[in-house]
Amino acid sequence: MFAAKSHTSRHYIAIVVMACLCVLLGGPSYAAGAESLIIAGATYCEPGVSGPGWAWTDADHLELNGYAGEAIGADGDLVLTLAGQNSVTESHAPDADITLCGMEVWGNLTLRGTGTLTATGSQCGIHASQALVVDGCTVDARADGADITDEAVAGVIAGDMAVRGGGRVVAAGAGSGAGVRAYGVYLQDAGLGAGAAGCRLSVDASWLDATGADGGVACTGGSLVSARFVTVDVHLKVVRIVTEN
């Protein structure tokens, strides 16, 4: 787990509890995809629901089209299709299940489509416990470090990260609290059992701009398992790649 272990554990417990409540209240359990979705301050136990700018069409597929609102969270794998301009911002409500990230997915997260997504939070803009894939869309993920101490903050926190299909990602982290380490992208071995991610970074015919006071890209476990940069039509701007032990 990354430095803010208490944060991720707390939020994972909150999402799992909501998923369990959904089952107890009669909601179905899915073999694949998200078991529950938190969006705009409400929790949903099964797909087939929608609201302003969003539609949860099936267990592993969420569509955003002009969504501008509070944080989105999912327990399980999620494919997010973007159309138009979209933004997610962490909820500052004291009883919110998600409080420090704009988007938090406990599983694999794929962002795709022709639209854009801006995600902001105090500790991370986007958190995926396993792999994050940005495929062809434009993403701006930022963390401002507000009220964070003794932890890592980053625009993106994930296990693996891949940018492909002409995707464009800006990831930035900042913070002035005691003991804060600020990165653009923070990769971690989530340690969630079989299939858990392991600090792989790939930028393939795409664009990544990762900046932070303490490094552009950081990883746990001593080193990146692999880093792959394809030279054709790639833009990679990183302050530096560092490791945390």
Side-chain angles (χ1 to χ4, degrees), residues 61-64 79-86 110-117 133-139 164-168:
H61 188 210
L62 175 67
E63 297 177 355
L64 296 185
V79 175
L80 177 55
T81 299
L82 301 169
Q85 297 181 341
N86 304 276
T110 298
L111 303 175
R112 68 184 188 185
T114 59
T116 67
L117 176 67
V133 175
V134 177
D135 189 354
C137 55
T138 299
V139 175
R164 66 193 189 197
R168 299 175 64 86

Side-chain angles (χ1 to χ4, degrees), residues 65-161:
N65 187 351
Y67 176 82
E70 293 183 8
I72 295 175
D75 176 25
D77 297 344
L78 188 66
V79 175
L80 177 55
T81 299
L82 301 169
Q85 297 181 341
N86 304 276
S87 63
V88 290
T89 306
E90 80 170 66
S91 172
H92 295 279
D95 59 346
D97 292 308
I98 302 175
T99 56
L100 301 177
C101 299
M103 173 163 286
E104 183 166 353
V105 172
W106 284 91
N108 299 298
L109 172 62
T110 298
L111 303 175
R112 68 184 188 185
T114 59
T116 67
L117 176 67
T118 299
T120 57
S122 54
Q123 186 164 25
C124 55
I126 297 174
H127 172 237
S129 70
Q130 296 187 23
L132 170 66
V133 175
V134 177
D135 189 354
C137 55
T138 299
V139 175
D140 189 312
R142 298 177 184 269
D144 60 18
D147 300 321
I148 303 295
T149 59
D150 298 317
E151 295 179 352
V153 301
V156 170
I157 297 175
D160 293 347
M161 182 176 179

